Amino acid sequence: MSQSLLADASVRLEQALKYVSISDDAFSRLKYPKASLSVSIPVRMDDGSLRIFQGYRVRYDDTRGPGKGGVRYHPSVSLDEVQSLAFWMTFKCALLNLPFGGAKGGITVNPKELSRAELERLSRGYIEAIADFIGTDVDILAPDVYTNEMIMGWMMDQYSIIRRRISPGVVTGKPLTMGGSQGRDTATATGAFHVMNTVLPKFGQIPEKTTIAVQGFGNAGAQIAQLLNKAGYKVVAVSDSQGGIYASQGLDIPSIRQYKQNHLTVTGVYCKDSVCNIIDHEVITNEQLLTLDVDVLIPAALEKQITEKNAHDVKAKYIFEVANGPITSSADAILNTKGIHVFPDILVNAGGVTVSYLEWVQNRNGLYWSLTEVQERLKVRMIEETEVVWRISQEFGVNMRTSAYINALNRLNEAMSAKGTRDYYQGI
């Protein structure tokens, strides 16, 4: 991801600005991140050598509350990428009406090349480098691409060592035994499921007659596939980084998840090993999955999967963005022309940050909720905000992405105006 992605994300903002009256102050503040940090992280490797890794943390805006955003480990991580993701988080938190601003972090690394001990040293070294930049009331971390609850636990522990006090609220997505929340590990998928169940009936789609393809079979993709499968939807295709499979009569998602966990791939799931049922299927690529003739397409992998190069070939009627930024703005225009309904990432995948908020609240109060309580709070929040975005969409006659940005912009503008703007000081 490059600087152009932030410009691409800003195109969506420009579309929403046609329907929102915001102060010049708010517009100016949203152009730039509040603070960006680049750090070098020295790590002693298992063979005794020293490697230096580049790490980043960006706090884009904190008008509505402390920064909130994940930390990703990936070879493509750059300051530009992290800044773009922090920009998205700003709008996502405002859209869900959470008392957070937007932030993001990352390390340029292929975590698959590191041992567990090296991974721990890298994670603790990252916190050593950014400790003065984060905090329970300043900037709260969470898991993202190739980070998990174990890594979050290391980070929280290291921050507590530095501060000489237990500080569970600085990191969410932690292990339950370290102050994590019930339901956090499945929150992104569960939130997306509630969004889909809220809007698909508005188009007359019923589970038994709705075919679905899921690109990306990591944590969120696998979980949303299983939730949909259990609810009666027909999941006909899934893929991971190595390829995918398609079966028109539907896939056995639990078997695929088990095979994936054991073999780290989905492409062989129906053609070898006794764990799977033998059914007619096709082996397909990630690119082929995106153009399947299905009702619903769920990009749950990485950014920029649907671009102007392949948007014309997309046949799905509805797209739900479980990944961050899987569709470029130029592709959006093509999909709109084709009459394809796109439901944006800042709404669809906001279940993760919503339960992160619930975890943060529990950490601060020292009172922890059951899984049922957490899931009910998540369900209510996701359905309420989805209905708000739908009403705005219908009111202005705009697509759901523009509607989501209209709502988020209004909330950000209200928060910024509460501190005083040019109009206030000039008595306008």
Side-chain angles (χ1 to χ4, degrees):
M1 192 188 306
S2 66
Q3 178 66 32
S4 63
L5 184 59
L6 182 58
D8 193 69
S10 298
V11 171
R12 279 76 182 261
L13 187 60
E14 292 170 6
Q15 293 295 320
L17 284 169
K18 299 175 183 177
Y19 305 91
V20 178
S21 177
I22 69 170
S23 68
D24 292 339
D25 293 24
F27 184 74
S28 296
R29 290 175 66 172
L30 288 170
K31 282 184 177 180
Y32 309 101
K34 180 172 183 178
S36 301
L37 181 66
S38 300
V39 297
S40 296
I41 311 163
V43 176
R44 185 66 62 186
M45 308 303 284
D46 291 344
D47 64 2
S49 64
L50 184 71
R51 284 185 63 184
I52 308 297
F53 297 89
Q54 289 301 118
Y56 310 95
R57 188 69 186 176
V58 173
R59 193 158 60 250
Y60 202 93
D61 183 81
D62 58 5
T63 306
R64 290 175 50 87
K68 185 75 186 73
V71 180
R72 62 174 49 186
Y73 290 179
H74 196 273
S76 70
V77 166
S78 66
L79 181 59
D80 293 334
E81 177 186 59
V82 172
Q83 179 173 293
S84 301
L85 293 167
F87 172 87
W88 273 321
M89 281 300 299
T90 300
F91 289 89
K92 185 184 298 185
C93 291
L95 179 64
L96 270 292
N97 206 18
L98 303 176
F100 290 140
K104 209 75 176 185
I107 301 175
T108 309
V109 60
N110 182 353
K112 298 178 182 179
E113 296 177 349
L114 304 186
S115 70
R116 292 181 178 181
E118 291 169 339
L119 198 59
E120 179 180 5
R121 290 194 286 272
L122 175 64
S123 302
R124 291 182 181 274
Y126 177 67
I127 297 302
E128 288 277 357
I130 70 167
D132 293 333
F133 198 75
I134 61 175
T136 302
D137 298 306
V138 180
D139 186 358
I140 303 112
L141 281 58
D144 200 88
V145 176
Y146 290 131
T147 54
N148 55 25
E149 68 172 24
M150 175 66 79
I151 292 173
M152 294 301 106
W154 290 333
M155 290 184 176
M156 190 277 279
D157 182 60
Q158 190 62 33
Y159 184 83
S160 297
I161 291 171
I162 294 168
R163 296 303 180 203
R164 296 186 180 274
R165 60 177 180 270
I166 303 301
S167 306
V170 73
V171 172
T172 60
K174 308 177 295 294
L176 290 175
T177 53
M178 298 179 71
S181 175
Q182 296 280 356
R184 177 59 184 87
D185 57 338
T186 59
T188 300
T190 304
F193 178 75
H194 291 315
V195 174
M196 294 180 68
N197 263 352
T198 301
V199 299
L200 285 176
K202 298 180 187 297
F203 296 93
Q205 291 289 146
I206 60 175
E208 295 76 15
K209 295 184 178 181
T210 302
T211 55
I212 297 175
V214 181
Q215 186 214 30
F217 209 68
N219 185 42
Q223 287 170 355
I224 188 65
Q226 185 149 331
L227 286 170
L228 293 166
N229 178 254
K230 185 177 180 181
Y233 291 91
K234 187 184 290 187
V235 181
V236 298
V238 297
S239 68
D240 61 12
S241 60
Q242 300 180 60
I245 51 178
Y246 167 76
S248 60
Q249 65 270 50
L251 298 169
D252 179 3
I253 300 302
S255 290
I256 297 174
R257 289 196 72 185
Q258 184 174 346
Y259 189 95
K260 169 77 172 180
Q261 290 168 1
N262 293 337
H263 300 81
L264 301 181
T265 180
V266 302
T267 52
V269 68
Y270 284 120
C271 48
K272 53 187 175 183
D273 263 282
S274 59
V275 72
C276 308
N277 299 321
I278 304 299
I279 66 170
D280 291 333
H281 71 283
E282 297 177 39
V283 175
I284 59 174
T285 64
N286 264 295
E287 293 73 19
Q288 290 173 320
L289 182 142
L290 294 172
T291 61
L292 288 174
D293 188 5
V294 293
D295 296 311
V296 176
L297 173 62
I298 301 177
L302 294 173
E303 298 84 8
K304 299 175 74 172
Q305 298 299 299
I306 301 177
T307 68
E308 59 185 351
K309 294 180 180 179
N310 62 358
H312 289 288
D313 299 321
V314 174
K315 301 178 184 67
K317 302 180 186 73
Y318 315 97
I319 301 177
F320 291 84
E321 296 182 323
V322 171
N324 284 314
I327 302 175
T328 64
S329 59
S330 56
D332 251 345
I334 296 170
L335 298 174
N336 282 332
T337 301
K338 288 167 63 71
I340 297 173
H341 298 276
V342 177
F343 300 90
D345 47 5
I346 63 171
L347 173 64
V348 176
N349 68 22
V353 71
T354 300
V355 176
S356 278
Y357 162 63
L358 298 178
E359 181 176 333
W360 179 73
V361 170
Q362 292 170 85
N363 292 156
R364 292 167 67 88
N365 291 339
L367 176 66
Y368 290 82
W369 299 313
S370 68
L371 176 60
T372 300
E373 289 175 303
V374 170
Q375 289 183 333
E376 183 59 28
R377 292 172 187 271
L378 171 63
K379 181 179 180 179
V380 169
R381 177 79 61 144
M382 295 302 299
I383 292 175
E384 283 182 350
E385 298 306 328
T386 299
E387 292 287 7
V388 170
V389 175
W390 176 261
R391 287 197 299 270
I392 294 172
S393 173
Q394 297 303 296
E395 178 183 351
F396 289 103
V398 297
N399 60 48
M400 289 288 280
R401 190 189 305 282
T402 300
S403 174
Y405 276 94
I406 289 171
N407 195 29
L409 268 172
N410 279 327
R411 286 174 173 166
L412 285 164
N413 183 56
E414 288 171 1
M416 293 177 182
S417 296
K419 297 182 180 181
T421 63
R422 184 187 66 175
D423 290 348
Y424 170 79
Y425 292 113
Q426 291 184 344
I428 298 176

